[in-house]
Amino acid sequence: MKRLTSSIQRQTSHITILETSDLHGNMLPIHYANNQPNQVGLTKIATLIAEERAKEAHVIVIDNGDLIQGTPLAYHHARLDNEPMNPMVLGLNYLNYDGAVLGNHEFNYGMDVLQKAVRESNFPWMCANIVSAETGEPFFGKPYLIKEFPEGIRVAILGLTTPYIPNWEDPKHIAGLRFEDPIATARTWVQRLKEQEQADVVVVAYHGGFERDIETGEPTEPLTGENQGYQLCMEVEGIDVLLTGHQHRSIAGASINGVTIVQPGTAGVTLGKVDIVLEYVEEKWRIATKQSSLISVANIMADEVLIEQISPYEAKTQLWLDQPIGQLTGDMLVKDPMQIRLGDNALIEFINKVQMELSGAHISNTALFDNVSPGFPSDITMRDIVSNYIYPNTLKVIRISGQDIIDALEQSAEYFEITDQGEVGVSKSFMEPKPAHYNYDMWEGITYTLNISRPVGKRVVQLEYNGEPIRLHDSFDVVMNNYRAAGGGNYAMFQDKPVIKDIPTDVAELLAGYIMERGTIEASVNKNWKVIWD
């Protein structure tokens, strides 16, 4: 391997690493619920990338995963019009990204959609710890890439992904894959990058976050292996920079055990940046300084060329979103998200009843996924469906015990806390490291009361089925989304339970089909559950 020692004119060199993560299909700076402006999206990020490249000669651009899922634009392409190039890949190709890492949501639409996106990419998709179950080799090609600059500086970027994906994903979407421990994988590959590839800078791009407080090291969540960023920094020698994501946090200006870390939020609200200065000392490039920061897209003009390239996709998406679905009699609007979660309401009851009717189960649960969910107006369009049911979930009916139902209700009840002013608030565990409103479930088919003034774990004060108290050892068939059925959101009581029925159609499609078939739906509330406090 040739080193350009004699021709080096400068004794220092500056390298910029730019990171996007968790773009979740956000291309344009709009809210799809109403098409109002929104300070997000790859078209705004594109302007920032161009500005950084204009300032610096040595720039590396990496996407850290969860790229191709998350907006109506992404959904329409994946489910309804998958022939053209993936629109998010089109954007990354246009911006000459150096590489991308697989995120957990890359698998949501199945292997065919993912493999097509990978084939269309002008950049490598990296993941060292997702391997072929048959061969043990990285399944999607490159585990890492090497970027070499004219001065002979070699920067290695190793891709890793949270191995917790089998706990959420439809098994058909990940058939033939094995998800290995990122820590052990990183130890093997980082050593190879240092010794065999002679990397001067080792960057790990990890689609995962931090399981511990980055300052104190105290656990901030159950240590399931979903997030192992802290452990990577502490236990794997030779990592200089750790690019992270998955948790949708905004982290910059920090380091762990000498490893510079960054995480750029979600939807393209910021661009992650790491500045590295190297010095040429004793015939070797060595890192002198490194610092991470975030660059906001607020008040940044979107890239007009990229907007034009994406316009055919957007036109089809908008036409689909404005497709009339049916009529609503009554009120299913969300005026106050907290009130929705404090007592039975028409929107949640409707979703649960659709899940029950289509699955044949007598008990159901679902969530109000986000505080910006608008509910349904009197004239329902596809836009209203996808604005409320924002994830490409499917349904499963699983068989669980009465004890499992109690445990699940207690887990949901942890969502609430009583403030010092005596008001109801959201507990820290559901707000940090990111808001997790989607992990608070509301049930139909049972009657229950939560008293949130009681201690955590003792808040279920009434629980009945068909007018009788639920017995702990009785079995019940319950319909829920596939994420929850796999134990996602710290619902371990649902893991590995018998699957009685699997409904592989997206819930958004099921809701739309249900409404179209009937033409008119009616809001109803049977008040089968409530939340109280003293």
Side-chain angles (χ1 to χ4, degrees), residues 305-374:
V305 175
L306 184 52
I307 289 176
E308 180 61 29
Q309 289 189 13
I310 216 71
S311 61
Y313 299 85
E314 181 65 12
K316 293 177 183 178
T317 301
Q318 291 292 343
L319 189 64
W320 170 66
L321 286 171
D322 289 330
Q323 174 186 339
I325 300 296
Q327 304 291 313
L328 166 67
T329 301
D331 185 4
M332 285 192 192
L333 293 175
V334 177
K335 304 177 183 70
D336 182 344
M338 181 59 83
Q339 291 303 313
I340 295 286
R341 299 184 179 103
L342 288 174
D344 195 16
N345 61 88
L347 176 65
I348 297 301
E349 182 164 306
F350 171 72
I351 295 172
N352 272 323
K353 284 187 173 180
V354 172
Q355 292 184 172
M356 293 161 70
E357 186 168 332
L358 297 181
S359 69
H362 297 297
I363 304 174
S364 173
N365 66 46
T366 192
L368 184 71
F369 293 122
D370 197 293
N371 281 350
V372 299
S373 296

Side-chain angles (χ1 to χ4, degrees), residues 424-457:
V424 178
V426 181
S427 66
K428 183 178 179 181
S429 63
F430 278 76
M431 292 301 294
E432 296 179 4
K434 66 177 179 178
H437 303 297
Y438 50 83
N439 283 333
Y440 171 74
D441 289 336
M442 292 158 277
W443 294 59
E444 190 66 33
I446 58 175
T447 303
Y448 66 95
T449 302
L450 307 178
N451 186 340
I452 58 175
S453 62
R454 292 169 62 96
V456 165

Side-chain angles (χ1 to χ4, degrees), residues 390-402:
I390 59 178
Y391 296 113
N393 292 333
T394 59
L395 294 178
K396 289 184 184 292
V397 179
I398 61 174
R399 183 160 292 164
I400 62 177
S401 68

Side-chain angles (χ1 to χ4, degrees), residues 83 127 196:
E83 284 299 317
C127 188
Q196 297 182 21

Side-chain angles (χ1 to χ4, degrees), residues 206-276:
Y206 167 55
H207 188 82
F210 298 98
E211 73 282 26
R212 297 176 181 271
D213 185 282
I214 61 177
E215 294 182 357
T216 67
E218 291 297 312
T220 53
E221 64 186 39
L223 301 179
T224 61
E226 177 180 350
N227 297 295
Q228 295 171 281
Y230 192 91
Q231 191 178 359
L232 280 167
C233 293
M234 296 300 293
E235 298 184 13
V236 181
E237 292 186 12
I239 301 174
D240 299 306
V241 174
L242 182 66
L243 311 178
T244 64
H246 185 56
Q247 291 176 316
H248 299 185
R249 298 169 68 181
S250 296
I251 301 173
S255 64
I256 298 172
N257 194 30
V259 180
T260 298
I261 62 173
V262 67
Q263 190 170 144
T266 182
V269 295
T270 57
L271 177 66
K273 179 181 179 181
V274 179
D275 290 294
I276 302 174

Side-chain angles (χ1 to χ4, degrees), residues 21 44 73 77 91 203 250 269 283 347 369 394 418 484 486-487 492:
S21 191
K44 280 178 168 279
L73 175 75
H77 171 75
V203 178
S250 296
V269 295
E283 298 189 350
L347 176 65
F369 293 122
T394 59
I418 305 299
R484 188 70 79 240

